[in-house]
Amino acid sequence: MGKKIAIIVFVVFIALQFFQPSLPEVIVDNPNDLLTNNPEIPGDVTAILRNSCYDCHSNTTNYPWYSYLSPVSLLVVHDIEEGREELNFSNWESFNKIEKAGAIDDIIGVIEAREMPIQIYTVIHQDASLSDSERELLIGWADEYSDSLFD
Amino acid sequence: MKKLTLVTFIVVSVVSMSFIDGNKTASISSTDGNSYEVPADVQAIIDNSCYGCHNTDSKSTKGKMKLNFDKMSDLKTSKLVGKLSKISKVVKNEKMPKKSFVEKYPDKALSKEQSDKLTSWADDLAAQYGGE
């Protein structure tokens, strides 16, 4: 009985591999990227953004091996598409000041409310989960950056 | 009979609430010295569709954490512009008021006209303080 189920699961898993969604495109050259255009952003903040945010919120996604396996790939595609649509740091400099301030407010809000990074992502990418001090650091930078827009 | 009492109660509450709204003086001033009045029609939209979750006594912890109309006056320019920008975005994208909320309270839904009024108010003010 157990063997039969295992075989069925295996067959379904193999069959699923024939249905691969296309993963959102990785674009390396992003002239409007936040980090490339703002070298004054401190290194520790840059590291947090790249490590905990950029996989879903930029065009420079690092796809792990399992993102090529169905049905995980479906979830990955969905999260990245949604993430880029909501906020894409690769397009940062195409936003005007007001849009930037709105995005910063959003960033601070989701970090404070611990909505981001999403849990399913940090379960797999444990190094992407943010400690309290990292959250503080990111919020502090975001707040100062936003102020600097209106100096 | 019970039904009639209930209907009367609802009518009386709605009517009295609209009186309260009508008398509210609405002004927001930021700590950076920005201050302005909220037009009565915009304030009515906020009171009906937004304020319920976005106030200091709200049961929605996340709702008041992200936007609290009672604390708009404490905001510096960057925050104020950020909040206004965000208000406009979520209303335009129909992310707010939340679907589940509107399904439960259909009268809180924003009509196209209300949505336009609210977002153009937010956009104009943000532009005024954001310098664009």
Side-chain angles (χ1 to χ4, degrees), chain A residues 58-69:
Chain A
S58 84
N59 295 333
T60 54
T61 307
N62 276 317
Y63 287 112
W65 60 269
Y66 55 79
S67 61
Y68 298 98
L69 293 178

Side-chain angles (χ1 to χ4, degrees), chain A residues 97-98 105 115 143 147, chain B residues 66 76 78 83 85 130 132:
Chain A
K97 262 194 330 191
I98 293 167
D105 179 63
E115 289 173 5
D143 189 43
D147 280 345
Chain B
K66 291 189 177 180
K76 54 186 175 178
S78 64
K83 298 288 178 202
S85 165
E132 291 210 30

Side-chain angles (χ1 to χ4, degrees), chain B residues 24 26-27 36-46 117 121 125:
Chain B
K24 209 171 216 167
S27 100
Y36 52 89
E37 301 275 309
V38 185
D41 50 355
V42 173
Q43 188 62 49
I45 296 168
I46 293 173
K117 198 166 268 176
W121 165 75
L125 259 189

Side-chain angles (χ1 to χ4, degrees), chain A residues 91-113:
Chain A
N91 300 335
W92 187 259
E93 295 303 332
S94 69
F95 305 153
N96 65 30
K97 262 194 330 191
I98 293 167
E99 289 165 332
K100 283 176 183 170
I104 290 284
D105 179 63
D106 211 9
I107 292 167
I108 293 175
V110 297
I111 297 294
E112 273 179 348

